[in-house]
Amino acid sequence: MGLERAFADEPAFVPYLAAGDPNYEASLEYVEALARGGADAIELGLPFSEPIAEGKTIQNAIVRSLEAGMTPDRFFEFVEDLDVDVPLVCMTYYNLIYQYGGGEGPRPFVEKAAAVGIEGLVVPDLPGEEAGPLRTACDEFGLDLVFIVAPTTKGDRLERMLEQVSGYVYVQARLGVTGAREDVDDATEESLARLSDWDVPKAVGFGIKTGDHAERIVSAGADGVIVGSALVDIVAEGHENGDSTDTVADRLETKARELKDGALRGASERPQPERT
């Protein structure tokens, strides 16, 4: 299992973009710009027509990607065409995974994902209680399975996730759907405290927009930050304004550096253990 290495030496910056948004070639450039800007791992959204966990920003990105022709097989081609040296994670919904093999369950999708270089999966609509077949397939082909833990996730459901998670846990900073916010939720520290005994990196997402946000999240104890909507907004604005691919890629690289630098500042502000 390989995603934990993204968190090994310093707090990880994990950006998200919908693959193929606004088109295949531009999207390749945008993902590679995030890697140049300091991404430690990258979540690639495989578009699904009913993205229940997503806010308007990412829903619109998914629509643009689908309209540009993105499919599961095209997604796998996209991953193969990328020129990056960081781990790649596929974020999608279970129906696409399950149906990919024509009724054979999740195994064919996971096998293909592993073959093209995907190292982990995030499946927002798959509860831990029903994740056994996917976990088995991930174990067979060496992929990590990342779960999203909401502030309200407790009891048996939380325990089932603990039993099956690997790579990192996606800590949802607040209730609701994805989307950039002007401030971060004070519940983050409580969410991290609930997971303090989990022997897996904790990456906080939902609402992180600036380097200052990333700094606060990491100083509160997170092992990394996940940022999606703030980056998708840059793609959307460039598309709407007719900006060149290079211009948008430069903006994404600059924003990535801001967020990574914020995470590093946050790590430096953590209380240091007393020496004995």
Side-chain angles (χ1 to χ4, degrees):
M1 302 299 178
L3 290 177
E4 289 193 24
R5 74 182 188 278
F7 301 80
D9 299 320
E10 58 190 26
F13 164 53
V14 184
Y16 164 96
L17 285 179
D21 173 30
N23 61 65
Y24 190 96
E25 295 299 330
S27 188
L28 287 173
E29 295 289 335
Y30 297 162
V31 174
E32 290 168 4
L34 294 176
R36 292 193 301 271
D40 298 287
I42 299 174
E43 292 183 354
L44 298 173
L46 169 54
F48 179 56
S49 58
E50 298 177 25
I52 58 174
E54 315 301 353
K56 185 176 178 61
T57 294
I58 293 179
Q59 285 183 8
N60 290 340
I62 287 169
V63 169
R64 290 191 296 269
S65 176
L66 289 170
E67 290 180 345
M70 185 54 65
T71 65
D73 284 325
R74 190 69 167 144
F75 174 85
F76 291 135
E77 293 175 13
F78 182 90
V79 174
E80 289 185 301
D81 286 343
L82 281 171
D83 183 14
V84 296
D85 293 324
V86 299
L88 300 174
V89 181
C90 172
M91 186 172 189
T92 193
Y93 288 79
Y94 193 59
N95 186 57
L96 278 182
I97 294 173
Y98 189 84
Q99 297 296 333
Y100 180 77
E104 297 180 33
R107 187 179 184 276
F109 183 96
V110 176
E111 181 178 18
K112 181 64 174 179
V116 300
I118 291 290
E119 296 192 34
L121 301 174
V122 184
V123 188
D125 63 335
L126 182 64
E129 306 94 296
E130 300 174 17
L134 183 57
R135 178 72 268 178
T136 298
C138 286
D139 288 341
E140 180 179 355
F141 295 105
L143 268 66
D144 284 311
L145 182 56
V146 177
F147 285 94
I148 299 176
V149 175
T152 54
T153 307
K154 298 177 182 177
D156 291 343
R157 174 159 289 190
L158 191 63
E159 288 303 312
R160 290 295 292 151
M161 290 180 176
L162 172 58
E163 292 168 3
Q164 299 183 84
V165 69
S166 63
Y168 58 93
V169 59
Y170 187 143
V171 182
Q172 184 177 327
R174 55 178 173 73
L175 294 174
V177 295
T178 58
R181 295 294 189 271
E182 295 304 322
D183 202 355
V184 293
D185 199 302
D186 291 335
T188 299
E189 289 189 36
E190 295 178 15
S191 295
L192 289 169
R194 288 195 300 127
L195 307 177
S196 60
D197 293 336
W198 287 33
D199 188 22
V200 64
K202 293 92 179 166
V204 174
F206 277 56
I208 299 171
K209 183 177 180 180
T210 68
D212 288 343
H213 289 172
E215 179 180 355
R216 282 185 55 190
I217 292 291
V218 172
S219 67
D223 298 303
V225 293
I226 300 170
V227 183
S229 294
L231 301 169
V232 174
D233 279 339
I234 292 173
V235 174
E237 181 181 356
H239 177 64
E240 292 165 4
N241 294 338
D243 296 330
S244 70
T245 298
D246 287 346
T247 296
V248 177
D250 286 345
R251 291 172 186 155
L252 287 167
E253 184 175 347
T254 298
K255 176 57 77 170
R257 285 209 175 89
E258 174 194 338
L259 291 158
K260 177 64 178 180
D261 288 346
L264 292 172
R265 289 197 307 273
S268 71
E269 295 166 6
R270 289 175 177 167
Q272 298 299 312
E274 294 183 9
R275 296 189 178 186
T276 57

